[in-house]
Amino acid sequence: MATFVLVPGHWFGGWVWDEVAAVLRAAGHEVHAVTLRGVAERAGEAAPEVDVDAHAADILAVIEDGGLDEVVLVAHSGGNMAATTVADRAPGRVARVVYVDSGPMPSGAMRFCQSRQRAYGLDVLIRAFCADGDLQMALDIRWQHDVSTLPIDEYTRVSIDRRGSGVSVADQHEDNLDCAEVLNILLGERFNDGDRKATLGAKERPRWQAYLEKAREGRSGGLIVWDVSRASRDLGIGFELVKIVRDYGLKGFRVISSSTERVYDLSNEMDANAFQDELVRAERQALMIQASVRRAMRRKVRRGEITGGTRRRFGFIDVYENEHHEDEAELIREADRRVRADGFVRNVVNDWADRGIVTPEIMSGDGTEVVFEGGREYNHSKLKAVLLRSVNAGYARFENGKLVGRLPGKAILTEANYLELRQVLESQARGRPAKKVYLLTGPHVGLLRCTRCKSHMSGNANGTGVSKERQDRGVKLHSYYKCAYNPHAPKRRGCLQSIDMVSLDAVITAAAWEWWTDPERLARDTVIHADETRVRELDHNLALLRGRHSRLVLATTPGIEQSLAELEAKIAALAAQRDEMSSPSVIRASTLQQITERWNAGYESRRLMIHEAYRKIEVEPYSLKRQVYRFDSNRIKVTFADAN
């Protein structure tokens, strides 16, 4: 075992070596980390007389006070001068000097340069340097950490074989054990994302990420998977494993496919390239499977067949056989009549909650396990999802505004009633009438707030989507902003206070124009920036689409050109929106002429200027209940964008 004295570079203390020291001590070495005078926690000792000699004295004190001999002196960056001085003054005590990211180098010294100070890399380097023989290297070296003797970890997740048959996690694990026995491999930790399917664009796989972190730390000898594509059906993540092996110099790191007993040594360039080729093949296969599934789904729909899902659903005992649950089917019909009559889903939700109507328990197809426990109350979104199912009208799917794929048997709802119901519910999507965008609400707009609930208010139109009969009787649309949603309240219901939309929009618009044209504000030449939230959203979406495009161009699936063309058109459209957000007309309007031109450019331009003028708009509750439909401007509190 060796004795190490670790010297940090400029501005760092001995703590910078903690990770290195931990690994060395675990290997049985004696380690001393030095903090030099005048830096880090000893900054209070800084003085004009503290120089290289003083720092050398600090290192010598550690060596002499500890009675250390045959010291391996490791110096990082600016610590090299003090270390060189110590080696010169105490040659009998210093056996070797290792310079990390530093120079110039004296005769007999070795230089080690890398972008990261990783403990295992330094450990290997130091052990190599302590071997017999003097070394003198003027060039950087590439270190490698030999992990070939470490156990091979296992990764499993939901998968299918080449024939499209399912392969359970348990079967994968059993195959991995058999392969390890055949190849005489010592298995280590098991990482399982059993609930994460092998699909493109799948959600993050936490155990896979945990394994990658272990690989970065040099604590894994490799990975055994049921199939190489299990390493990732996503090229970006799979290639990351290769990058980790290269960046961290993991010699002997292997990926093993238990289904083929194929071994890839990723520290070998030929094997690494073969592994990457297999990942490309896997993604190409995934694209082909997706296209095949879409075609199969369309065929089933045209034939009038259910395309997937559980047999038991609310209203159905067996949806595939069109066997109705009569009590639940009658509830769907009742809800359909009520929503088409008054346009409110909330009333049905509250009624069902009072009557104790809850979600049903759903079993797997073979009836052996519970897929969904049930027993939960229906909220607004769940009830809408139940009512909007095309199977209620006796069709397999609703797409492009039409019911497609007539199912055999009797339907719960008539086709006409279903289409009217759908029109009512879709007209209320996101709290706005069809073909209307409210001035103060909408996606990424959080200006309008309720002071009582501290939540955002949404636009509503009382009577939107009501039946033609009620409209003929003179029912009028009354647009207003309403506190309908509070995530912290029971059933997530807001206090339901409202304010007239037309009146509020008029007041807010007039005040925004006054703010924009205020001489004092113009004199300050305030720069108004575009909606940063929208810019971030565009940047995020562009990054996702461009990444998808870079993978799609590798595919050789017939007809892939059409998908590429559609994707490129979407990227171009988003890029044009992003460029528009960066144009001078959007980013700033600092003169009265520019402000006027932009204000008069159209509704959307004016709406954006109104959003830019305010930091927030708050609505106070009514003081008297009888004033519920009377507009009161005293309820409005605004904070402008330039407010302190």
mmCIF file of all heavy atoms in Angstrom, residues 89-121:
data_model
loop_
_atom_site.group_PDB
_atom_site.id
_atom_site.type_symbol
_atom_site.label_atom_id
_atom_site.label_comp_id
_atom_site.label_asym_id
_atom_site.label_seq_id
_atom_site.Cartn_x
_atom_site.Cartn_y
_atom_site.Cartn_z
ATOM 1 N N ARG A 89 13.437 19.482 -2.061
ATOM 2 C CA ARG A 89 13.970 19.654 -0.706
ATOM 3 C C ARG A 89 13.958 18.353 0.100
ATOM 4 O O ARG A 89 14.724 18.210 1.045
ATOM 5 C CB ARG A 89 13.153 20.709 0.043
ATOM 6 C CG ARG A 89 13.309 22.113 -0.551
ATOM 7 C CD ARG A 89 12.503 23.135 0.226
ATOM 8 N NE ARG A 89 12.659 24.477 -0.330
ATOM 9 C CZ ARG A 89 12.029 25.554 0.130
ATOM 10 N NH1 ARG A 89 11.186 25.437 1.158
ATOM 11 N NH2 ARG A 89 12.220 26.726 -0.430
ATOM 12 N N ALA A 90 13.065 17.449 -0.222
ATOM 13 C CA ALA A 90 12.986 16.206 0.554
ATOM 14 C C ALA A 90 12.976 15.008 -0.374
ATOM 15 O O ALA A 90 12.008 14.232 -0.409
ATOM 16 C CB ALA A 90 11.739 16.224 1.432
ATOM 17 N N PRO A 91 14.041 14.827 -1.157
ATOM 18 C CA PRO A 91 14.058 13.721 -2.124
ATOM 19 C C PRO A 91 14.008 12.355 -1.451
ATOM 20 O O PRO A 91 13.546 11.378 -2.052
ATOM 21 C CB PRO A 91 15.367 13.934 -2.881
ATOM 22 C CG PRO A 91 16.225 14.721 -1.938
ATOM 23 C CD PRO A 91 15.299 15.600 -1.176
ATOM 24 N N GLY A 92 14.456 12.284 -0.197
ATOM 25 C CA GLY A 92 14.460 11.000 0.492
ATOM 26 C C GLY A 92 13.079 10.559 0.927
ATOM 27 O O GLY A 92 12.864 9.381 1.225
ATOM 28 N N ARG A 93 12.154 11.506 1.000
ATOM 29 C CA ARG A 93 10.808 11.165 1.466
ATOM 30 C C ARG A 93 9.794 11.054 0.321
ATOM 31 O O ARG A 93 8.749 10.449 0.495
ATOM 32 C CB ARG A 93 10.319 12.218 2.457
ATOM 33 C CG ARG A 93 11.168 12.329 3.698
ATOM 34 C CD ARG A 93 10.305 12.614 4.901
ATOM 35 N NE ARG A 93 11.056 12.616 6.126
ATOM 36 C CZ ARG A 93 10.497 12.655 7.334
ATOM 37 N NH1 ARG A 93 9.193 12.716 7.427
ATOM 38 N NH2 ARG A 93 11.234 12.641 8.412
ATOM 39 N N VAL A 94 10.056 11.684 -0.795
ATOM 40 C CA VAL A 94 9.116 11.687 -1.917
ATOM 41 C C VAL A 94 9.566 10.661 -2.950
ATOM 42 O O VAL A 94 10.648 10.784 -3.529
ATOM 43 C CB VAL A 94 9.014 13.075 -2.561
ATOM 44 C CG1 VAL A 94 8.069 13.040 -3.762
ATOM 45 C CG2 VAL A 94 8.541 14.106 -1.529
ATOM 46 N N ALA A 95 8.732 9.639 -3.154
ATOM 47 C CA ALA A 95 9.084 8.593 -4.113
ATOM 48 C C ALA A 95 8.669 8.973 -5.535
ATOM 49 O O ALA A 95 9.394 8.709 -6.488
ATOM 50 C CB ALA A 95 8.413 7.283 -3.712
ATOM 51 N N ARG A 96 7.525 9.568 -5.682
ATOM 52 C CA ARG A 96 7.009 9.923 -6.989
ATOM 53 C C ARG A 96 6.234 11.236 -6.893
ATOM 54 O O ARG A 96 5.677 11.561 -5.852
ATOM 55 C CB ARG A 96 6.060 8.848 -7.543
ATOM 56 C CG ARG A 96 6.714 7.506 -7.835
ATOM 57 C CD ARG A 96 7.563 7.570 -9.099
ATOM 58 N NE ARG A 96 8.053 6.266 -9.485
ATOM 59 C CZ ARG A 96 9.185 5.722 -9.013
ATOM 60 N NH1 ARG A 96 9.911 6.386 -8.122
ATOM 61 N NH2 ARG A 96 9.573 4.525 -9.418
ATOM 62 N N VAL A 97 6.170 11.962 -8.005
ATOM 63 C CA VAL A 97 5.335 13.160 -8.096
ATOM 64 C C VAL A 97 4.417 12.993 -9.303
ATOM 65 O O VAL A 97 4.872 12.650 -10.389
ATOM 66 C CB VAL A 97 6.172 14.450 -8.250
ATOM 67 C CG1 VAL A 97 5.251 15.659 -8.309
ATOM 68 C CG2 VAL A 97 7.175 14.575 -7.114
ATOM 69 N N VAL A 98 3.124 13.225 -9.079
ATOM 70 C CA VAL A 98 2.140 13.160 -10.160
ATOM 71 C C VAL A 98 1.552 14.554 -10.354
ATOM 72 O O VAL A 98 1.070 15.160 -9.403
ATOM 73 C CB VAL A 98 1.012 12.155 -9.828
ATOM 74 C CG1 VAL A 98 -0.040 12.146 -10.938
ATOM 75 C CG2 VAL A 98 1.572 10.761 -9.617
ATOM 76 N N TYR A 99 1.626 15.056 -11.586
ATOM 77 C CA TYR A 99 1.087 16.374 -11.902
ATOM 78 C C TYR A 99 -0.247 16.201 -12.634
ATOM 79 O O TYR A 99 -0.298 15.554 -13.677
ATOM 80 C CB TYR A 99 2.054 17.170 -12.771
ATOM 81 C CG TYR A 99 3.319 17.553 -12.045
ATOM 82 C CD1 TYR A 99 4.417 16.687 -12.036
ATOM 83 C CD2 TYR A 99 3.420 18.747 -11.369
ATOM 84 C CE1 TYR A 99 5.576 17.021 -11.370
ATOM 85 C CE2 TYR A 99 4.572 19.101 -10.698
ATOM 86 C CZ TYR A 99 5.656 18.234 -10.691
ATOM 87 O OH TYR A 99 6.800 18.571 -10.023
ATOM 88 N N VAL A 100 -1.313 16.776 -12.086
ATOM 89 C CA VAL A 100 -2.652 16.692 -12.674
ATOM 90 C C VAL A 100 -3.022 18.054 -13.259
ATOM 91 O O VAL A 100 -3.104 19.045 -12.532
ATOM 92 C CB VAL A 100 -3.694 16.270 -11.613
ATOM 93 C CG1 VAL A 100 -5.086 16.176 -12.244
ATOM 94 C CG2 VAL A 100 -3.301 14.959 -10.968
ATOM 95 N N ASP A 101 -3.223 18.094 -14.596
ATOM 96 C CA ASP A 101 -3.570 19.347 -15.275
ATOM 97 C C ASP A 101 -2.597 20.462 -14.918
ATOM 98 O O ASP A 101 -3.003 21.572 -14.561
ATOM 99 C CB ASP A 101 -4.997 19.781 -14.921
ATOM 100 C CG ASP A 101 -6.035 19.002 -15.706
ATOM 101 O OD1 ASP A 101 -5.665 18.400 -16.727
ATOM 102 O OD2 ASP A 101 -7.207 18.998 -15.299
ATOM 103 N N SER A 102 -1.303 20.199 -14.995
ATOM 104 C CA SER A 102 -0.326 21.223 -14.618
ATOM 105 C C SER A 102 0.963 21.043 -15.418
ATOM 106 O O SER A 102 1.168 20.038 -16.087
ATOM 107 C CB SER A 102 -0.018 21.144 -13.113
ATOM 108 O OG SER A 102 0.536 19.868 -12.793
ATOM 109 N N GLY A 103 1.826 22.017 -15.359
ATOM 110 C CA GLY A 103 3.105 22.015 -16.055
ATOM 111 C C GLY A 103 3.774 23.368 -15.833
ATOM 112 O O GLY A 103 3.165 24.279 -15.248
ATOM 113 N N PRO A 104 4.994 23.609 -16.249
ATOM 114 C CA PRO A 104 5.869 22.640 -16.937
ATOM 115 C C PRO A 104 6.326 21.533 -15.991
ATOM 116 O O PRO A 104 6.217 21.666 -14.783
ATOM 117 C CB PRO A 104 7.035 23.492 -17.414
ATOM 118 C CG PRO A 104 7.093 24.604 -16.415
ATOM 119 C CD PRO A 104 5.678 24.897 -16.025
ATOM 120 N N MET A 105 6.841 20.466 -16.587
ATOM 121 C CA MET A 105 7.167 19.291 -15.801
ATOM 122 C C MET A 105 8.674 19.137 -15.658
ATOM 123 O O MET A 105 9.415 19.265 -16.636
ATOM 124 C CB MET A 105 6.606 18.042 -16.480
ATOM 125 C CG MET A 105 5.107 18.065 -16.632
ATOM 126 S SD MET A 105 4.570 16.737 -17.704
ATOM 127 C CE MET A 105 5.296 17.254 -19.242
ATOM 128 N N PRO A 106 9.125 18.859 -14.466
ATOM 129 C CA PRO A 106 10.548 18.565 -14.278
ATOM 130 C C PRO A 106 10.865 17.169 -14.796
ATOM 131 O O PRO A 106 9.976 16.366 -15.042
ATOM 132 C CB PRO A 106 10.715 18.644 -12.763
ATOM 133 C CG PRO A 106 9.370 18.272 -12.229
ATOM 134 C CD PRO A 106 8.367 18.812 -13.206
ATOM 135 N N SER A 107 12.130 16.876 -14.946
ATOM 136 C CA SER A 107 12.560 15.568 -15.418
ATOM 137 C C SER A 107 12.103 14.489 -14.445
ATOM 138 O O SER A 107 12.221 14.638 -13.233
ATOM 139 C CB SER A 107 14.093 15.545 -15.554
ATOM 140 O OG SER A 107 14.520 14.266 -15.940
ATOM 141 N N GLY A 108 11.592 13.413 -15.009
ATOM 142 C CA GLY A 108 11.167 12.292 -14.172
ATOM 143 C C GLY A 108 9.728 12.363 -13.730
ATOM 144 O O GLY A 108 9.247 11.474 -13.042
ATOM 145 N N ALA A 109 8.996 13.445 -14.110
ATOM 146 C CA ALA A 109 7.608 13.593 -13.673
ATOM 147 C C ALA A 109 6.662 13.194 -14.791
ATOM 148 O O ALA A 109 7.029 13.169 -15.954
ATOM 149 C CB ALA A 109 7.334 15.016 -13.239
ATOM 150 N N MET A 110 5.459 12.918 -14.407
ATOM 151 C CA MET A 110 4.439 12.485 -15.356
ATOM 152 C C MET A 110 3.279 13.455 -15.309
ATOM 153 O O MET A 110 2.836 13.862 -14.239
ATOM 154 C CB MET A 110 3.957 11.079 -14.972
ATOM 155 C CG MET A 110 2.860 10.522 -15.847
ATOM 156 S SD MET A 110 2.421 8.898 -15.236
ATOM 157 C CE MET A 110 1.210 8.428 -16.447
ATOM 158 N N ARG A 111 2.774 13.838 -16.469
ATOM 159 C CA ARG A 111 1.651 14.769 -16.518
ATOM 160 C C ARG A 111 0.377 14.008 -16.860
ATOM 161 O O ARG A 111 0.364 13.177 -17.752
ATOM 162 C CB ARG A 111 1.889 15.847 -17.564
ATOM 163 C CG ARG A 111 0.777 16.895 -17.584
ATOM 164 C CD ARG A 111 1.034 17.925 -18.653
ATOM 165 N NE ARG A 111 -0.010 18.921 -18.642
ATOM 166 C CZ ARG A 111 -0.354 19.648 -19.685
ATOM 167 N NH1 ARG A 111 0.275 19.466 -20.825
ATOM 168 N NH2 ARG A 111 -1.306 20.546 -19.607
ATOM 169 N N PHE A 112 -0.703 14.337 -16.146
ATOM 170 C CA PHE A 112 -1.980 13.688 -16.375
ATOM 171 C C PHE A 112 -3.034 14.762 -16.595
ATOM 172 O O PHE A 112 -3.258 15.586 -15.738
ATOM 173 C CB PHE A 112 -2.356 12.828 -15.170
ATOM 174 C CG PHE A 112 -3.774 12.346 -15.191
ATOM 175 C CD1 PHE A 112 -4.237 11.603 -16.255
ATOM 176 C CD2 PHE A 112 -4.630 12.646 -14.147
ATOM 177 C CE1 PHE A 112 -5.538 11.161 -16.273
ATOM 178 C CE2 PHE A 112 -5.929 12.204 -14.169
ATOM 179 C CZ PHE A 112 -6.384 11.461 -15.228
ATOM 180 N N CYS A 113 -3.653 14.802 -17.774
ATOM 181 C CA CYS A 113 -4.640 15.822 -18.090
ATOM 182 C C CYS A 113 -5.966 15.158 -18.438
ATOM 183 O O CYS A 113 -6.000 14.219 -19.211
ATOM 184 C CB CYS A 113 -4.204 16.682 -19.276
ATOM 185 S SG CYS A 113 -2.792 17.718 -18.879
ATOM 186 N N GLN A 114 -7.051 15.677 -17.868
ATOM 187 C CA GLN A 114 -8.391 15.223 -18.212
ATOM 188 C C GLN A 114 -9.369 16.325 -17.833
ATOM 189 O O GLN A 114 -9.048 17.236 -17.099
ATOM 190 C CB GLN A 114 -8.754 13.932 -17.481
ATOM 191 C CG GLN A 114 -8.713 14.084 -15.964
ATOM 192 C CD GLN A 114 -9.278 12.880 -15.281
ATOM 193 O OE1 GLN A 114 -9.443 11.849 -15.892
ATOM 194 N NE2 GLN A 114 -9.591 13.000 -14.029
ATOM 195 N N SER A 115 -10.576 16.223 -18.361
ATOM 196 C CA SER A 115 -11.570 17.261 -18.120
ATOM 197 C C SER A 115 -12.219 17.141 -16.760
ATOM 198 O O SER A 115 -12.760 18.096 -16.243
ATOM 199 C CB SER A 115 -12.655 17.206 -19.193
ATOM 200 O OG SER A 115 -13.269 15.933 -19.187
ATOM 201 N N ARG A 116 -12.202 15.949 -16.157
ATOM 202 C CA ARG A 116 -12.838 15.754 -14.851
ATOM 203 C C ARG A 116 -11.839 15.108 -13.899
ATOM 204 O O ARG A 116 -11.057 14.271 -14.283
ATOM 205 C CB ARG A 116 -14.061 14.825 -14.967
ATOM 206 C CG ARG A 116 -15.081 15.277 -15.975
ATOM 207 C CD ARG A 116 -16.119 14.164 -16.124
ATOM 208 N NE ARG A 116 -17.095 14.474 -17.128
ATOM 209 C CZ ARG A 116 -16.908 14.264 -18.426
ATOM 210 N NH1 ARG A 116 -15.766 13.761 -18.855
ATOM 211 N NH2 ARG A 116 -17.847 14.562 -19.295
ATOM 212 N N GLN A 117 -11.912 15.494 -12.639
ATOM 213 C CA GLN A 117 -11.131 14.786 -11.624
ATOM 214 C C GLN A 117 -11.996 13.652 -11.102
ATOM 215 O O GLN A 117 -12.835 13.852 -10.250
ATOM 216 C CB GLN A 117 -10.787 15.723 -10.463
ATOM 217 C CG GLN A 117 -9.637 16.653 -10.754
ATOM 218 C CD GLN A 117 -9.165 17.316 -9.483
ATOM 219 O OE1 GLN A 117 -9.089 16.684 -8.447
ATOM 220 N NE2 GLN A 117 -8.854 18.579 -9.559
ATOM 221 N N ARG A 118 -11.840 12.462 -11.649
ATOM 222 C CA ARG A 118 -12.610 11.318 -11.189
ATOM 223 C C ARG A 118 -11.714 10.438 -10.335
ATOM 224 O O ARG A 118 -10.577 10.146 -10.693
ATOM 225 C CB ARG A 118 -13.143 10.499 -12.362
ATOM 226 C CG ARG A 118 -14.035 11.283 -13.296
ATOM 227 C CD ARG A 118 -15.247 11.833 -12.598
ATOM 228 N NE ARG A 118 -16.124 10.780 -12.113
ATOM 229 C CZ ARG A 118 -17.290 10.994 -11.549
ATOM 230 N NH1 ARG A 118 -17.710 12.216 -11.371
ATOM 231 N NH2 ARG A 118 -18.029 9.995 -11.135
ATOM 232 N N ALA A 119 -12.264 9.990 -9.235
ATOM 233 C CA ALA A 119 -11.457 9.264 -8.268
ATOM 234 C C ALA A 119 -10.833 8.011 -8.854
ATOM 235 O O ALA A 119 -9.647 7.742 -8.678
ATOM 236 C CB ALA A 119 -12.331 8.897 -7.066
ATOM 237 N N TYR A 120 -11.639 7.223 -9.564
ATOM 238 C CA TYR A 120 -11.127 5.949 -10.058
ATOM 239 C C TYR A 120 -10.057 6.173 -11.114
ATOM 240 O O TYR A 120 -9.117 5.411 -11.240
ATOM 241 C CB TYR A 120 -12.255 5.087 -10.600
ATOM 242 C CG TYR A 120 -13.232 5.815 -11.469
ATOM 243 C CD1 TYR A 120 -12.986 6.015 -12.826
ATOM 244 C CD2 TYR A 120 -14.409 6.312 -10.927
ATOM 245 C CE1 TYR A 120 -13.885 6.678 -13.623
ATOM 246 C CE2 TYR A 120 -15.315 6.994 -11.731
ATOM 247 C CZ TYR A 120 -15.051 7.172 -13.083
ATOM 248 O OH TYR A 120 -15.944 7.835 -13.864
ATOM 249 N N GLY A 121 -10.158 7.242 -11.921
ATOM 250 C CA GLY A 121 -9.138 7.520 -12.931
ATOM 251 C C GLY A 121 -7.806 7.834 -12.297
ATOM 252 O O GLY A 121 -6.758 7.338 -12.713
#
